[in-house]
Amino acid sequence: MEFRVSLLSAERAEDIAARAGADAKPLARRGLPFKAISCLKRFGLVAGSFAAVAICVISQLFVWKIEVSGNGTVSAREIIDHLENCGVSVGGFIPKIDTLRSANELLMDFEPISSAAITVRGNRVLVSVLERKTPPGIIDTSGYYNVVAARDGTVIDVDAYDGTPEISAGDTVYEGQLLINSFIAGKYGTFMPTHARGKVIALVQEHFEITVPFKQTVKVYTGNKSVKKTYVLLGKEIPAFFSENSPYEYFDTVTAEYDLELFGAVELPGRVSTVTYIEYVPKETVIPKSEAEAIARGELDGWLASLDREIAECGAEVTFDEKNGACFLKADAAVITDICLEVPLTINDYGVQSNRSARLPNARE
């Protein structure tokens, strides 16, 4: 008969069998205690286990991760980079971290932050920040200025904050033309100069040209790839046993960075940076007219986006030069923008002669 007992009941089971006149002997020993006893004879495993436990205990004295909250326009990476200058970084020795001093140093080192609080929780550093709100700029009202047109255009709307408008919606103005006069009428029919300010929205013309040759150098990918990784553990980069240079003459690169994880769930205090080199061979080819036109129109779209202003109308003309093998695109865009330009007021603006007595009937005037 076979039966299973626990380690603590084995001796009692043998006594019961002896009193019954039965011969009892163990057939197998299973369980954690017996595995631990067998492992004691494997000195390498024991030493490795102690080393692993020691590393885990010691690693709790270092920063594994920095978490940033409260930021909006400023990225967490920027804040973490500036924290490193203040003595707080991944891999930093936690007992040496002075949270109050580091928070004050961060405020002095990084202007976009107006408030910061640093808390150490376990092996994580929590950083809570408030971003600085920039006050509106102070309007300079000193001096006497006119507002003139910065460029030619057709006026859509006039809004004079200070001064007397000299034009109205629908007028066509030219560069340098007076838009808002510095002089304003007083209460008793007198005129006094001021710092003219305002906004004059006008429709202006922008011009764009581009030439796309039919002969183009294109990339032909060979399918060869090379991936190289760099490991950073507790803020220290582990030396790689390979060169970071590309093994190919012509190549594209794709970079990535991610945190180290154990079994896809347990975060470790390390990061992995990868660089993927993708080989290609440059090849001269002749593209069709349709593709050349598509490239030209793509450049036009990029130029319109770079203007960062409202586009009222845009007309483009595409021609092909068969002799020189090129596509030529020119476009005119009607753009809505503010054309105000403040210029200092001078007496000559109003045609006053340098010899004032020639104009005035008596010396008192």
Side-chain angles (χ1 to χ4, degrees):
M1 181 178 65
E2 295 181 6
F3 56 91
R4 181 178 300 176
V5 297
S6 68
L7 178 62
L8 299 178
S9 303
E11 186 176 354
R12 183 183 176 190
E14 290 180 350
D15 292 341
I16 294 174
R19 287 198 301 270
D23 185 17
K25 63 179 180 178
L27 300 178
R29 295 177 175 86
R30 299 187 181 92
L32 185 61
F34 298 103
K35 287 187 178 294
I37 293 172
S38 64
C39 289
L40 289 176
K41 299 178 181 179
R42 302 172 63 180
F43 298 104
L45 182 60
V46 174
S49 300
F50 277 110
V53 172
I55 290 174
C56 289
V57 172
I58 295 174
S59 66
Q60 299 300 311
L61 299 176
F62 297 90
V63 178
W64 282 37
K65 190 174 183 180
I66 299 177
E67 299 179 3
V68 180
S69 62
N71 59 310
T73 57
V74 180
S75 67
R77 174 52 55 187
E78 291 180 273
I79 297 174
I80 292 174
D81 290 342
H82 282 82
L83 273 173
E84 187 172 351
N85 300 332
C86 305
V88 180
S89 61
V90 174
F93 191 50
I94 293 177
K96 285 189 176 182
I97 295 178
D98 187 336
T99 57
L100 182 59
R101 186 187 66 182
S102 298
N104 290 332
E105 289 179 353
L106 176 63
L107 296 179
M108 293 186 290
D109 185 59
F110 196 37
E111 186 178 354
I113 300 301
S114 63
S115 176
I118 299 177
T119 306
V120 178
R121 185 173 297 172
N123 52 19
R124 294 183 303 156
V125 173
L126 307 181
V127 183
S128 179
V129 300
L130 289 177
E131 295 183 356
R132 191 180 304 279
K133 300 297 182 182
T134 305
I138 299 175
I139 299 175
D140 182 13
T141 58
S142 63
Y144 304 128
Y145 285 80
N146 284 326
V147 176
V148 301
R151 56 186 306 172
D152 303 345
T154 302
V155 177
I156 297 176
D157 183 59
V158 180
D159 188 5
Y161 306 150
D162 284 311
T164 305
E166 296 290 336
I167 42 88
S168 58
D171 292 347
T172 299
V173 297
Y174 303 95
E175 183 179 354
Q177 181 177 337
L178 182 64
L179 302 180
I180 302 177
N181 197 330
S182 172
F183 285 91
I184 58 176
K187 187 174 181 181
Y188 301 103
T190 59
F191 291 87
M192 59 180 296
T194 185
H195 188 135
R197 297 181 302 109
K199 181 179 289 186
V200 176
I201 305 300
L203 198 65
V204 301
Q205 296 295 320
E206 298 281 3
H207 185 71
F208 176 79
E209 290 185 3
I210 188 173
T211 301
V212 179
F214 294 152
K215 282 187 177 182
Q216 296 281 330
T217 301
V218 298
K219 298 178 181 179
V220 178
Y221 292 95
T222 62
N224 297 328
K225 293 183 180 180
S226 176
V227 180
K228 297 186 177 182
K229 296 182 179 181
T230 303
Y231 295 89
V232 178
L233 187 63
L234 285 174
K236 306 297 181 182
E237 184 173 336
I238 299 176
F241 297 98
F242 53 81
S243 172
E244 294 184 359
N245 297 326
S246 170
Y248 312 119
E249 182 179 5
Y250 300 100
F251 58 91
D252 288 336
T253 58
V254 179
T255 60
E257 190 178 46
Y258 55 90
D259 294 328
L260 276 175
E261 292 184 347
L262 184 64
F263 307 120
V266 181
E267 291 186 357
L268 298 177
R271 295 183 66 82
V272 182
S273 299
T274 64
V275 180
T276 304
Y277 300 99
I278 306 172
E279 185 186 28
Y280 69 84
V281 177
K283 181 180 179 182
E284 295 287 339
T285 186
V286 178
I287 61 175
K289 294 180 180 179
S290 58
E291 187 174 345
E293 181 179 353
I295 294 174
R297 292 191 179 277
E299 293 293 332
L300 173 61
D301 293 339
W303 173 73
L304 292 174
S306 68
L307 293 177
D308 196 23
R309 286 175 285 178
E310 182 180 352
I311 310 299
E313 184 181 1
C314 181
E317 179 184 356
V318 178
T319 57
F320 299 99
D321 186 351
E322 299 288 351
K323 181 179 179 181
N324 297 317
C327 170
F328 180 71
L329 180 145
K330 61 180 180 179
D332 291 297
V335 181
I336 298 175
T337 186
D338 183 10
I339 61 171
C340 284
L341 175 64
E342 295 182 8
V343 296
L345 170 65
T346 61
I347 297 298
N348 291 333
D349 292 341
Y350 296 92
V352 179
Q353 301 295 327
S354 58
N355 185 7
R356 299 182 183 180
S357 61
R359 297 178 56 252
L360 303 176
N362 54 61
R364 183 175 180 181
E365 293 184 2

